[in-house]
């Protein structure tokens, strides 16, 4: 499985294509599972690796995405809302309060994306955070992942919801009034 693809860095960060490819390769994380019978570690295919994060924690993170802008601030924008979203999963991933606090501080960096697209970033960050908890990735890679994905999804969300869907909905409403 790949935590994020090179497209995220091609859209969000500068540098040469070689630098972007090296960045993407440094974040690519492969999940491993023990092979039945032999115990040897083999890469997981889609859906056959058990997650450390329960469905309940994932649903809690998803439902908290609805209020991601409730604690919006001018210094770091949606950072507190993002940390609020990932907190239930971090509680399951890190039983040690010091490690959990460090992981939560990692998510208090600057964060800004379209609020309707925030769920995608939360999901990707939780997957990357799970890799960090298992010791297969570095905590800085989670921040780099968020930095790469969030601006691209913000541009996509703004252009679709505000520049396309809103005018179309207004035209439909006006047309309905004329009928």
């Amino acid at each position: 499985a790949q935590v994020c693809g090179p497209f995220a860095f091609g859209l969000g960060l500068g540098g040469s294509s070689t630098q972007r490819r090296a960045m993407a390769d440094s974040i690519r994380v492969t999940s491993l599972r023990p092979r039945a019978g032999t115990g040897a570690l083999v890469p997981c295919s889609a859906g056959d690796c058990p997650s450390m994060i329960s469905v309940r924690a994932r649903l809690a993170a998803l439902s908290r995405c609805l209020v991601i802008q409730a604690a919006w601030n001018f210094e770091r924008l949606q950072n507190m809302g993002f940390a609020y979203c990932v907190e239930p999963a971090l509680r399951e991933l890190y039983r040690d309060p010091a490690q959990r606090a460090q992981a939560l501080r990692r998510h208090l960096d600057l964060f800004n994306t379209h609020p309707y697209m925030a769920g995608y970033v939360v999901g990707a960050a939780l997957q990357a955070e799970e890799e960090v908890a298992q010791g297969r990735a570095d905590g800085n890679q989670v921040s780099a992942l968020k930095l790469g994905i969030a601006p691209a999804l913000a541009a996509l969300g703004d252009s679709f919801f505000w520049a396309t869907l809103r005018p179309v909905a207004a035209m439909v409403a006006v047309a309905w009034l004329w009928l």
Side-chain angles (χ1 to χ4, degrees), residues 69-84:
Q69 294 198 100
W72 198 90
N73 63 72
F74 287 104
E75 185 178 344
R76 295 188 180 168
L77 307 173
Q78 298 169 330
N79 69 330
M80 291 177 65
F82 190 88
Y84 178 70

Side-chain angles (χ1 to χ4, degrees), residues 143-156:
S143 298
L145 171 69
K146 286 171 42 181
L147 180 67
I149 292 176
L153 288 176
L156 183 66

